[in-house]
Each structure stands twice: as structure tokens, then as C-alpha cells.
Amino acid sequence: MDFRLSEDHLSLQKAARDFLAKECTTELVRASFESPDGDALELYKKMADLGWLALSVPEVQGGLGMGLVEQAVLCEQLGYYLAPGPYFSTACLAIPALIALGANDLLPPLIDGSKRATLVTDAEFVLDGQLADGFITTAGEKAFWVERSDAEVTPHETVDGTRRTASVGIPEGAGIELGSTAGLQEVIDAATAALSAESVGGMQRVLDMTVDYAKVRTQFGREIGSFQVVKHRLADVLIKLESSRSAAYYAAWANGARAADAAFSASVAKAYVSDAYMWVAGEGIQLHGGIGYTWEHDAHLWFKRAVTNASLLGDSEFHQERALSLTSAAR
Amino acid sequence: MDLRWSPEEEEFRQEIRAYLEANAPKGLSDDEDTVEERRAWQAKLAEDRWVGIHWPGEYGGRGASLIQTVIYNEEYTKARAPTIPNALGVSLLGPTLMVYGTDTQKERFLRKVLSAEEMWCQGFSEPNSGSDLASLKTRAQEDGDEYVVNGQKIWTSYAKFGDWIFTLVRTDPSAPKHEGISFLLIDMKSPGVEVRPLREMTGSTLFAEVFFTDVRVPKENLVGAPGDGWKIAMTTLTFERGAGGLAVSVRLRRILEDFIEDSKKIRRNGWSAFEDPVARSKIGKHLVDLEVYRYTTLRSISSQAAGEPAGPEASINKVYWSEWHQRFMEDVMQIIGTPARVLSGAASEVDTRKWLREFLDSRAETIYAGTSEIQRNIISERVLGLPREARGS
């Protein structure tokens, strides 16, 4: 029983951190936030060049053959730096879905970053629908591949400019059939674990930012971080963060290893982390005081990502209920 | 990262499981009226070397690894085996003597700790020294080959049954407060030791106050050097952590599952509480929160087993489980509704006495072994590096 990240995991973590600290600055995040479609495609291309889209693609299909824990390690860093753009939808949803469906011929342009795709779970709110070149859709028990030219895409104006959605209309009979949807739930569970890890990264950033501030901001002649009420709130932030980290990585391991509790652990992680990230990001604003409520300060950027992630792939209420119904005691 | 147990670990699990299935007495409560039966059980465990398994073989243990100890605790809890009555001796005093005790002390005390032939209690807290333990005032004055002890300890469990008590006493009142403390073993049958039971809000009397009036204690009962008491106590308290986390999660999970069963019997808004969306949503949230605790304990165990020191994550775990239990019990009370306020005499679908007891018990957990407030200070100062609290003298 070993819950620690391996040496390989730690070097991936460091490589991701080094790259993103340089390439995914807050200036870039803000530019993407306020851009017409939140694309950040230059960053996306660089990420593709690093092989990040191929991370968990089996080697026989031209990928790096890593697992879901590695994907979680990377997503955590993407969340820390609030990386904008369509990475999550292509790498964590579309590519694994196409692999599960055996549609390997569609993978190369996605892996090299020249094209982007997303999985449609709710046609009214399609993650990164405004940037996708193709869509994986379902009808009954069949999955389909639909080219953007065959779909009617209406981009949304979203609260989080770094992660957007679009309505996607698919005309009847459009697209090519890819086979049975049977394997897609596992893909969604795995993506749920990866998304939880991304949220963990966001929470870590909020904690770091807020602790730094509490150590330098003085009121009443003392650093505000010396007041017990502030210390205890930050202790609670750490408790939620570390608990979220345990949940996200447990789920990543269990889904990667196809353990018996894979689906259950994915729902446990998503239910817990959704609420925790929202709460933590809210504390980040509160503890910064007035400045934290301004557009100029970065606190709201992570808060808005927390709001988005909370409902993406099922909110906490949905996953609490699913976890309960997957528990033998509850039958 | 691999969260599976190894084949050797699984084999060990089967071994302890089979032993407990064949030997553990059934249906013994943790109440004080079962202490004698539980002493006999612990003696049996000691004979078969199935208690204090993390102790080295020479003292009657098995030299078990942390992971084995964790598995043992998990299986012990799952089997609902009776709580051993000399737990403080096994988990706190014994390991302390192994590190700081003299050979004579080890020889004299350790075996009888495991067999429960001598029962131990803990004398750290005082009425005016709770969270600020180092302010303790119980005085031990040198007099020839003896110390003369005067003062009072409180929150002492099993005091009524205790043969010995391990205490923190002040041997040097002129030294800075952390440096004037010593670790002293006191025979409870000495003249001048008086035990007064304390009734808790549950109605039980598990705790007691222990008064010392001119109690004469031979100097050979001092553990470590005079003035080392604080350092030794801090080591002692880390023994309390670590291996027990998973057992806590098993215990709480069983409480949750018992309530899920009961919720199917409770009628609410024309259906069972289990089917009621409001109650169900609460239960689902508690299930999620508790499962996350299990993952965190696995993570802590894994890093400790790899040789990383038991750090402040013990504080995170303590706050998490104790506050989970309180929140859960508050919701249990609300879901049961008015009948939950009645101990007996009213019709109810469930055993309200049991749930009420669990509810009241949970209020102690955020206080003992370091209050939630102290734990949050530790987390914010030692992990986050925030400035220390301003202190009085």
C-alpha cells in the first residue's frame, strides 16, 4: 500500500510547474479570459508539443502510455496556473472516449494539437464547444462523431472566461457511427477524477496566495495572519485542500487501476472537491478583504473556475446521491 | 503509487481476522461494568501475543510494522472485539518506557502492561492546565530518595481501576515552564492518593479527578532525567497518533451504516427517511465526507510507513474525524426527530438511547487529545508558517 507519488510523478510535476510558471502567466490567463472565445491556442500548441495531449494515450496509438495518476498530476498543475483553453475537453474527455470507442483513426490530429474535440454530455452546455473541431455525441446506446461543419454551435458568455461552454445543435442523422456507448461511463469517471485533481491545484494556489497575503498585510499593528480567527480559517482551507488531494488521487488511482470502487471513488472525489473548491476560493476572497473583491485582483479568477468546475460533470448533490446508491449498505 | 495491500499484508489480515473470529468475546460493551471481563480478554490476547503487536518481541509483542499494526487495528474494530481496558498502558506508557525507561523499569513494568495485570491511567491534565498543559502545577519535591507529590489531576479515565498512573509533575518551579516538568510513575495504592469520580454529561462516570496529598514516590520511578518530562510527554502523545486512524474510520463507517439501516425504518413525510430526499441528501454528504477521511488516513499511513515523520497531518485528521462525527450526529438527531429526545417510554422505530448516547459522546471528541482550536493553531503555525499567537506569561 503506497499512496506516495513516485519519482516519475514528481519529475512530471516539476516539468509541468516549470513550463506553466513561464508560459501560463496571469497576464496570459487574463488575456484569454477577456478574449472573444477563450482560446489560448498558442499555449495549447506548446502543450501539444510537450506531448501532454498524448499523455495517457497507449503507446501503440502514438501516445506516451501513462496512466490516470500522471494525468491527475498534470491536471493539478494546470489548475494551479489556471491554464485556459481546450486541454481538458480534448485530452481528458474526447481522446479517452475515442480510445474507448476504438476510433483510433481520429486520434492523430487531436494528439498533435492541430485539431480539438469534445464530448457532448448535455448539448445545451458543451464544454469548449466553441473551440472544438469535432464532437462525440450519443443517441440511445450509440456514439457518433460529428464534424463541426455539420453542427450548429452557439458560444456562451460564461462567468469563467478561461473555461467556456457552447450550445451544440446536431441535425438528425448527422455524423458517423462509432459504436456502443458502453465504455463511456468509465471515461467520464476517469475525467471526473482528473477534474478533481485540477481543482486541487486551484485550491493550492488560493491557499498560497492567501497565506502570503496574511503574512504581509498588517492591520491594528500586526500581520493579519497572527490573528487566530484568520489562522483558523486558513487551517480549515488546508484541511479541505489536503482532504481533496487525498480524494482526487485515490480516485485517479482507482479509476486508472479499474479497482472495484472506481466509480464510487470518482463520485466521492467530485462531490467533496466541488464544494471544497468553492468554499476555499470564497475564503480566498474574504481573507483578502476589499482588494479581493476587485477585478484587478486575481482571487476572482480562481473563484470563477471553482464555480465552473463545481457543476461540470455533475455537481456535489448528484455525486453524493450516486455515491450513496453505489454503496452496498444503502441498498 | 499503488493502493493495493500486498499478498503478505493480506495474509496477515486473514490471520488476525481468523484469530478474532475464533476467540473474541461477543457483545461486551465498553462500559466500566465489563472491565474485569475485558481484563481477562486482554490477558488472553497477551498470552497469544495478539496485543501490543507493535511492541518488540522481547517485551511480548511481535515487532509488527506500522502497516501491520494498522491492519490489526482495522480488523479488531471490524470484528467488534471488546476494547482492551489497559489501552493507555499499551499505546502510551509502554512505548514511552521503551524509549526513555531504564532497564529496571522496562523489566518491572512492561509485561504487566500487556497482560493487564497492572492497569495504567494517565495523569497529565489539571483543572487549570488543559490546552496550556505546560502550566501544570502538581508539585514533586525531592526528599532523600523520594519525591513528595502534592496536587490534582483531572479527566483521568479508568482511575477507579488503575494500579498505576503516569504523570507530569513540576520538579523545578524556578525553571521556565516547559523545563521544570518531570515524568513520574505513581502507584495508585500509595497513601495520599484519592480518586473522585467525575460524572460526564452522558450520565456516565468514565473520568475521575485524582488528588495527591504528600504522596511519597521513590526516585527510581522517574522516567528520564528531571526536567525531561515535557519532551517525553510530547513523544508519548505522538504514539497516540498514526496507527489508529484507519480504525477510527472503520468505527465511524459502522455508525453511518447502522444509521442507514435505521433510516429505512424511520417514517418521514409519508415514506422512510432513507427515501426522503432531504434526509437522503444529508446522509449522502456524510458518506462522501467520511470516505474522504479514509483516503486521507491511507495517505498518512503510507507516508509514515515510508519513514516520513508523523507530522502535523495528525492535527488535520483529528479535526476532520471529530467534527465529522459531530455534524453527522446532529443530522441523525434531526432525522430521527422528536423521538430522539426520549430515552425510554415512548414508541420509536429505532433504539433512541443508542443514538442519543452516540450524539452526546461525540461532543467530547473535539476536546480531548487536543481541542479543535489547539489543532488549528498547530496547523496554521507549523504547516502554514503563520505567526505564533501572542502569549501571556
Side-chain angles (χ1 to χ4, degrees):
Chain A
M1 207 276 300
D2 190 356
F3 210 128
R4 294 168 307 150
L5 294 178
S6 68
E7 288 300 319
D8 287 349
H9 294 148
L10 294 173
S11 27
L12 173 65
Q13 183 184 63
K14 182 173 185 313
R17 194 179 280 157
D18 291 348
F19 170 80
L20 291 165
K22 186 160 153 275
E23 301 289 343
C24 186
T25 59
T26 352
E27 291 71 39
L28 179 136
V29 172
R30 283 178 173 271
S32 164
F33 195 107
E34 305 203 39
S35 71
D37 57 6
D39 55 13
L41 287 183
E42 268 181 48
L43 175 69
Y44 188 73
K45 191 74 186 69
K46 288 179 191 165
M47 285 160 53
D49 292 345
L50 288 170
W52 287 3
L53 286 153
L55 201 73
S56 50
V57 176
E59 284 168 280
V60 287
Q61 276 124 33
L64 302 179
M66 294 186 189
L68 194 56
V69 174
E70 287 86 349
Q71 189 67 66
V73 167
L74 179 56
C75 285
E76 183 186 338
Q77 294 309 312
L78 293 167
Y80 189 90
Y81 291 95
L82 207 68
Y87 178 82
F88 184 80
S89 53
T90 301
C92 297
L93 286 169
I95 289 175
L98 291 172
I99 292 170
L101 292 162
N104 298 336
D105 53 323
L106 293 168
L107 292 174
L110 298 179
I111 290 175
D112 71 20
S114 56
K115 289 202 167 172
R116 302 166 298 274
T118 189
L119 177 67
V120 179
T121 51
D122 173 355
E124 268 309 305
F125 297 96
V126 178
L127 180 64
D128 296 327
Q130 80 286 3
L131 295 171
D133 299 297
F135 302 92
I136 299 149
T137 66
T138 57
E141 287 172 9
K142 297 258 184 272
F144 298 85
W145 172 260
V146 179
E147 293 285 340
R148 185 186 182 87
S149 51
D150 292 332
E152 193 185 324
V153 178
T154 313
H156 301 159
E157 192 185 345
T158 50
V159 64
D160 176 8
T162 69
R163 173 158 285 164
R164 305 190 193 193
T165 51
S167 309
V168 176
I170 314 262
E172 212 165 313
I176 48 168
E177 195 183 312
L178 296 177
S180 155
T181 57
L184 288 186
Q185 188 54 51
E186 283 177 18
V187 169
I188 291 171
D189 284 340
T192 301
L195 184 68
S196 300
E198 187 203 276
S199 295
V200 167
M203 292 163 77
Q204 180 73 57
R205 180 64 170 267
V206 172
L207 176 69
D208 290 354
M209 211 162 34
T210 313
V211 166
D212 286 349
Y213 184 70
K215 285 176 181 170
V216 297
R217 168 75 173 173
T218 58
Q219 288 287 277
F220 306 102
R222 286 163 65 182
E223 302 96 325
I224 61 167
S226 70
F227 293 111
Q228 209 168 57
V229 70
V230 173
K231 289 163 76 169
H232 286 193
R233 290 179 83 148
L234 286 168
D236 284 334
V237 168
L238 184 79
I239 292 170
K240 299 252 188 205
L241 162 61
E242 291 303 332
S243 303
S244 297
R245 198 188 300 282
S246 305
Y249 280 93
Y250 186 99
W253 177 82
N255 281 272
R258 301 189 177 232
D261 60 350
F264 176 69
S265 66
S267 278
V268 166
K270 186 61 169 69
Y272 186 85
V273 175
S274 292
D275 288 350
Y277 193 9
M278 281 278 291
W279 185 84
V280 163
E283 288 298 293
I285 292 174
Q286 176 66 26
L287 293 171
H288 276 86
I291 191 74
Y293 188 66
T294 63
W295 190 271
E296 179 196 349
H297 196 275
D298 292 337
H300 75 103
L301 301 176
W302 275 266
F303 183 76
K304 289 168 182 172
R305 177 64 69 86
V307 170
T308 302
N309 284 6
S311 70
L312 195 58
L313 301 177
D315 64 10
S316 58
E317 292 264 328
F318 171 84
H319 283 288
Q320 280 158 18
E321 175 56 37
R322 183 165 179 252
L324 187 58
S325 61
L326 287 169
T327 304
S328 54
R331 290 191 193 119
Chain B
M1 189 172 173
D2 185 349
L3 302 182
R4 287 168 304 185
W5 302 99
S6 72
E8 295 75 30
E9 287 159 358
E10 281 299 344
E11 200 178 308
F12 179 78
R13 184 185 293 282
Q14 294 310 325
E15 195 185 346
I16 174 65
R17 186 178 289 173
Y19 174 83
L20 291 171
E21 227 162 72
N23 295 288
K26 304 269 183 291
L28 275 189
S29 76
D30 287 352
D31 293 336
E32 51 189 35
D33 56 359
T34 64
V35 166
E36 285 313 316
E37 285 155 286
R38 288 189 285 129
R39 267 178 102 155
W41 163 236
Q42 187 175 335
K44 158 89 177 143
L45 284 171
E47 207 177 295
D48 298 334
R49 293 200 308 129
W50 275 121
V51 63
I53 61 163
H54 55 297
W55 287 28
E58 55 180 311
Y59 304 124
R62 293 177 177 239
S65 69
L66 175 69
I67 297 274
Q68 286 177 326
T69 310
V70 163
I71 292 170
Y72 169 89
N73 289 337
E74 190 183 4
E75 289 301 321
Y76 197 93
T77 309
K78 276 188 184 159
R80 304 193 186 219
T83 306
I84 54 167
N86 210 14
L88 291 169
V90 174
S91 60
L92 298 182
L93 177 78
T96 303
L97 285 185
M98 286 175 218
V99 179
Y100 293 103
T102 62
D103 288 344
T104 318
Q105 287 170 338
K106 291 178 199 171
E107 187 62 32
R108 163 69 188 80
F109 292 113
L110 287 177
R111 289 271 175 182
K112 291 180 177 178
V113 168
L114 273 196
S115 63
E117 193 180 331
E118 285 175 346
M119 297 272 284
W120 282 86
C121 37
Q122 178 182 6
F124 283 11
S125 296
E126 295 180 6
N128 288 316
S129 302
S131 292
D132 182 13
L133 181 62
S135 70
L136 61 92
K137 288 196 176 60
T138 295
R139 181 81 171 90
Q141 255 174 314
E142 286 189 65
D143 183 20
D145 291 342
E146 294 176 323
Y147 284 106
V148 179
V149 180
N150 282 286
Q152 181 193 353
K153 295 293 176 182
I154 195 169
W155 317 126
T156 307
S157 26
Y158 287 102
K160 183 159 38 163
F161 306 96
D163 298 297
W164 285 82
I165 183 167
F166 55 98
T167 63
L168 291 180
V169 292
R170 189 161 299 282
T171 42
D172 184 358
S174 62
K177 71 176 182 182
H178 292 88
E179 292 161 32
I181 296 172
S182 300
F183 196 105
L184 192 63
L185 312 177
I186 303 177
D187 185 342
M188 295 281 275
K189 287 181 283 291
S190 315
V193 176
E194 189 198 347
V195 174
R196 291 184 205 159
L198 257 181
R199 193 168 189 207
E200 299 97 48
M201 62 179 267
T202 54
S204 302
T205 48
L206 294 177
F207 294 131
E209 296 174 287
V210 182
F211 293 81
F212 301 95
T213 312
D214 292 330
V215 177
R216 306 195 77 87
V217 181
K219 276 189 174 168
E220 68 205 40
N221 287 359
L222 189 75
V223 179
D228 279 353
W230 186 257
K231 182 183 78 184
I232 297 173
M234 290 303 102
T235 314
T236 302
L237 294 177
T238 62
F239 296 134
E240 205 170 4
R241 300 169 187 149
L246 207 54
V248 170
S249 100
V250 171
R251 174 172 76 87
L252 297 178
R253 176 65 182 243
R254 188 163 68 214
I255 293 167
L256 175 73
E257 290 185 2
D258 284 355
F259 186 68
I260 288 176
E261 280 311 307
D262 272 5
S263 74
K264 295 171 186 170
K265 300 178 209 150
I266 298 165
R267 301 302 296 173
R268 194 182 217 273
N269 303 328
W271 45 20
S272 78
F274 185 67
E275 295 160 304
D276 180 72
V278 177
R280 210 178 149 81
S281 162
K282 288 177 177 165
I283 294 170
K285 180 165 171 44
H286 292 304
L287 168 71
V288 162
D289 289 352
L290 184 60
E291 181 70 2
V292 170
Y293 176 69
R294 187 174 79 85
Y295 303 156
T296 301
T297 58
L298 289 174
R299 212 175 125 208
S300 309
I301 291 159
S302 156
S303 64
Q304 280 183 50
E308 290 161 30
E313 81 264 8
S315 294
I316 294 179
N317 294 351
K318 167 76 192 334
V319 170
Y320 193 106
W321 73 258
S322 59
E323 295 189 355
W324 178 90
H325 194 198
Q326 280 180 5
R327 286 194 309 271
F328 176 64
M329 290 316 304
E330 283 157 9
D331 280 342
V332 165
M333 291 297 286
Q334 193 176 21
I335 291 169
I336 299 175
T338 305
R341 279 73 181 164
V342 181
L343 288 167
S344 67
S348 170
E349 297 102 335
V350 299
D351 182 352
T352 54
R353 184 182 287 273
K354 166 186 150 178
W355 290 115
L356 193 55
R357 177 59 190 260
E358 192 71 41
F359 170 61
L360 296 176
D361 278 351
S362 74
R363 306 314 300 189
E365 292 165 347
T366 50
I367 300 168
Y368 66 59
T371 63
S372 289
E373 290 69 32
I374 286 293
Q375 306 294 356
R376 286 187 169 88
N377 280 357
I378 293 172
I379 294 166
S380 57
E381 290 171 10
R382 299 197 200 152
V383 186
L384 301 177
L386 290 168
R388 290 186 65 132
E389 195 59 17
R391 271 150 222 258
S393 56

Coordinates of all heavy atoms in Angstrom, one line a residue, chain A residues 158-199:
Chain A
T158 N -19.7 33.2 -20.6 CA -19.7 32.4 -19.3 C -19.0 33.2 -18.2 O -18.2 34.1 -18.5 CB -18.9 31.1 -19.5 OG1 -17.6 31.4 -20.1 CG2 -19.7 30.1 -20.3
V159 N -19.3 32.9 -17.0 CA -18.8 33.6 -15.8 C -17.2 33.4 -15.8 O -16.5 34.3 -15.4 CB -19.4 33.2 -14.5 CG1 -19.2 31.7 -14.2 CG2 -19.0 34.1 -13.3
D160 N -16.8 32.2 -16.1 CA -15.4 31.9 -16.2 C -14.9 32.0 -17.6 O -15.2 31.2 -18.4 CB -15.1 30.5 -15.6 CG -13.7 30.1 -15.7 OD1 -12.8 30.9 -16.0 OD2 -13.4 28.9 -15.4
G161 N -14.2 33.1 -17.9 CA -13.7 33.3 -19.3 C -12.6 32.3 -19.7 O -12.3 32.2 -20.9
T162 N -12.0 31.6 -18.7 CA -11.0 30.7 -19.1 C -11.5 29.3 -19.4 O -10.8 28.4 -19.8 CB -9.9 30.6 -18.0 OG1 -10.5 29.9 -16.8 CG2 -9.4 31.9 -17.5
R163 N -12.8 29.1 -19.1 CA -13.4 27.8 -19.3 C -14.8 28.0 -19.8 O -15.6 28.4 -19.0 CB -13.3 26.9 -18.1 CG -14.0 25.5 -18.3 CD -13.6 24.5 -17.4 NE -12.3 23.9 -17.8 CZ -11.5 23.2 -17.0 NH1 -11.9 22.9 -15.8 NH2 -10.3 22.8 -17.5
R164 N -15.1 27.7 -21.1 CA -16.4 28.1 -21.6 C -17.2 27.0 -22.1 O -16.7 25.9 -22.3 CB -16.1 29.1 -22.7 CG -15.3 30.3 -22.3 CD -15.2 31.4 -23.3 NE -14.2 32.4 -22.9 CZ -14.1 33.6 -23.5 NH1 -14.9 34.0 -24.4 NH2 -13.1 34.4 -23.1
T165 N -18.4 27.3 -22.4 CA -19.3 26.2 -23.0 C -20.0 26.8 -24.2 O -20.0 28.0 -24.5 CB -20.4 25.8 -22.0 OG1 -21.0 27.0 -21.5 CG2 -19.8 25.0 -20.8
A166 N -20.6 26.0 -25.0 CA -21.5 26.4 -26.1 C -22.6 25.4 -26.2 O -22.6 24.3 -25.8 CB -20.6 26.3 -27.4
S167 N -23.7 25.9 -26.9 CA -24.8 25.0 -27.2 C -24.4 24.4 -28.6 O -24.0 25.1 -29.5 CB -26.1 25.8 -27.4 OG -26.4 26.6 -26.3
V168 N -24.7 23.1 -28.7 CA -24.3 22.5 -29.9 C -25.6 21.7 -30.5 O -26.1 20.8 -29.8 CB -23.2 21.5 -29.7 CG1 -22.9 20.7 -31.0 CG2 -21.9 22.2 -29.2
G169 N -26.0 22.2 -31.6 CA -27.2 21.6 -32.3 C -26.7 20.6 -33.3 O -25.8 20.9 -34.1
I170 N -27.1 19.3 -33.2 CA -26.7 18.3 -34.1 C -28.0 17.9 -34.9 O -28.9 17.3 -34.4 CB -26.2 17.1 -33.4 CG1 -25.2 17.5 -32.3 CG2 -25.6 16.0 -34.4 CD1 -23.8 17.4 -32.5
P171 N -27.9 18.1 -36.2 CA -29.1 17.7 -37.0 C -29.3 16.2 -37.0 O -28.3 15.4 -36.9 CB -28.7 18.2 -38.5 CG -27.6 19.1 -38.3 CD -26.9 18.7 -37.0
E172 N -30.5 15.7 -37.1 CA -30.7 14.3 -37.1 C -30.0 13.6 -38.2 O -30.0 14.1 -39.4 CB -32.2 14.0 -37.2 CG -32.7 12.8 -36.4 CD -34.2 12.7 -36.2 OE1 -34.7 13.8 -35.8 OE2 -34.7 11.7 -36.5
G173 N -29.4 12.5 -37.9 CA -28.7 11.7 -39.0 C -27.3 12.2 -39.3 O -26.6 11.6 -40.1
A174 N -26.9 13.3 -38.6 CA -25.5 13.7 -38.9 C -24.5 12.9 -38.2 O -24.8 12.2 -37.2 CB -25.4 15.2 -38.3
G175 N -23.3 12.8 -38.8 CA -22.1 12.2 -38.1 C -22.0 10.7 -38.5 O -22.9 10.1 -39.2
I176 N -20.8 10.2 -38.1 CA -20.6 8.8 -38.4 C -20.7 8.0 -37.1 O -20.3 8.4 -36.0 CB -19.2 8.5 -39.0 CG1 -18.1 9.3 -38.3 CG2 -19.2 9.0 -40.5 CD1 -16.7 8.9 -38.7
E177 N -21.2 6.8 -37.2 CA -21.4 6.0 -36.0 C -20.1 5.4 -35.5 O -19.3 4.9 -36.3 CB -22.4 4.8 -36.3 CG -23.0 4.2 -35.1 CD -23.9 3.0 -35.4 OE1 -24.8 3.2 -36.3 OE2 -23.7 1.9 -34.8
L178 N -19.9 5.4 -34.2 CA -18.6 4.9 -33.7 C -18.8 3.6 -32.9 O -17.8 3.0 -32.5 CB -18.0 6.0 -32.8 CG -17.5 7.3 -33.4 CD1 -17.0 8.2 -32.4 CD2 -16.5 7.0 -34.5
G179 N -20.0 3.2 -32.6 CA -20.2 2.0 -31.8 C -21.0 2.3 -30.5 O -21.6 3.3 -30.4
S180 N -20.9 1.3 -29.6 CA -21.7 1.4 -28.4 C -21.2 2.3 -27.4 O -19.9 2.5 -27.2 CB -21.7 -0.1 -27.8 OG -22.0 0.0 -26.4
T181 N -22.1 3.0 -26.6 CA -21.7 3.9 -25.6 C -21.2 3.2 -24.3 O -20.9 3.9 -23.3 CB -22.9 4.8 -25.2 OG1 -23.9 3.9 -24.8 CG2 -23.3 5.7 -26.4
A182 N -21.2 1.9 -24.3 CA -20.9 1.1 -23.1 C -19.7 1.6 -22.3 O -19.7 1.6 -21.1 CB -20.8 -0.4 -23.4
G183 N -18.6 1.9 -23.0 CA -17.4 2.3 -22.2 C -17.3 3.7 -21.8 O -16.3 4.1 -21.2
L184 N -18.3 4.5 -22.2 CA -18.2 6.0 -21.9 C -18.3 6.4 -20.5 O -17.7 7.3 -20.1 CB -19.2 6.7 -22.8 CG -18.9 6.8 -24.3 CD1 -19.8 7.7 -25.0 CD2 -17.4 7.2 -24.6
Q185 N -19.0 5.6 -19.7 CA -19.2 6.0 -18.3 C -17.8 5.9 -17.6 O -17.5 6.7 -16.8 CB -20.2 5.1 -17.6 CG -20.5 5.5 -16.1 CD -21.0 7.0 -16.1 OE1 -21.8 7.4 -16.8 NE2 -20.3 7.8 -15.2
E186 N -17.0 4.9 -17.9 CA -15.7 4.8 -17.3 C -14.8 6.0 -17.7 O -14.0 6.5 -16.9 CB -15.0 3.5 -17.8 CG -15.5 2.3 -17.0 CD -14.9 1.0 -17.5 OE1 -13.8 1.0 -18.1 OE2 -15.5 -0.1 -17.2
V187 N -15.0 6.4 -19.0 CA -14.2 7.6 -19.5 C -14.6 8.8 -18.6 O -13.8 9.6 -18.2 CB -14.5 7.8 -21.0 CG1 -13.9 9.2 -21.4 CG2 -13.9 6.7 -21.8
I188 N -15.9 9.0 -18.4 CA -16.4 10.1 -17.7 C -15.9 10.0 -16.2 O -15.5 11.0 -15.6 CB -17.9 10.2 -17.8 CG1 -18.3 10.6 -19.2 CG2 -18.5 11.3 -16.8 CD1 -19.8 10.5 -19.5
D189 N -15.9 8.9 -15.6 CA -15.5 8.7 -14.2 C -14.0 9.1 -14.1 O -13.6 9.8 -13.2 CB -15.7 7.3 -13.7 CG -17.1 7.0 -13.4 OD1 -17.9 8.0 -13.1 OD2 -17.5 5.8 -13.3
A190 N -13.2 8.6 -15.1 CA -11.8 9.0 -15.1 C -11.6 10.5 -15.3 O -10.8 11.1 -14.6 CB -11.1 8.2 -16.3
A191 N -12.4 11.1 -16.2 CA -12.3 12.6 -16.3 C -12.7 13.3 -15.1 O -12.1 14.3 -14.7 CB -13.1 13.0 -17.5
T192 N -13.6 12.7 -14.4 CA -14.1 13.3 -13.1 C -13.0 13.3 -12.1 O -12.8 14.3 -11.4 CB -15.3 12.5 -12.6 OG1 -16.3 12.5 -13.6 CG2 -15.8 13.1 -11.3
A193 N -12.2 12.2 -12.1 CA -11.0 12.2 -11.2 C -10.0 13.3 -11.6 O -9.4 14.0 -10.7 CB -10.4 10.8 -11.2
A194 N -9.7 13.4 -12.9 CA -8.8 14.3 -13.4 C -9.2 15.8 -13.1 O -8.4 16.6 -12.7 CB -8.5 14.1 -14.9
L195 N -10.5 16.0 -13.3 CA -11.0 17.3 -13.0 C -10.9 17.7 -11.5 O -10.6 18.8 -11.1 CB -12.5 17.4 -13.4 CG -13.1 18.8 -13.3 CD1 -12.5 19.8 -14.2 CD2 -14.7 18.7 -13.5
S196 N -11.1 16.7 -10.7 CA -10.9 16.9 -9.2 C -9.5 17.3 -8.9 O -9.2 18.1 -8.1 CB -11.4 15.6 -8.4 OG -12.7 15.3 -8.7
A197 N -8.6 16.6 -9.6 CA -7.1 17.0 -9.4 C -6.9 18.4 -9.8 O -6.1 19.1 -9.2 CB -6.2 16.0 -10.1
E198 N -7.5 18.8 -10.9 CA -7.3 20.2 -11.4 C -7.8 21.1 -10.3 O -7.2 22.1 -10.0 CB -8.1 20.4 -12.7 CG -7.8 21.7 -13.3 CD -8.9 22.2 -14.2 OE1 -8.9 21.8 -15.4 OE2 -9.8 23.0 -13.7
S199 N -8.9 20.8 -9.7 CA -9.5 21.7 -8.7 C -8.6 21.8 -7.5 O -8.4 22.8 -6.8 CB -10.9 21.2 -8.2 OG -11.8 21.3 -9.3

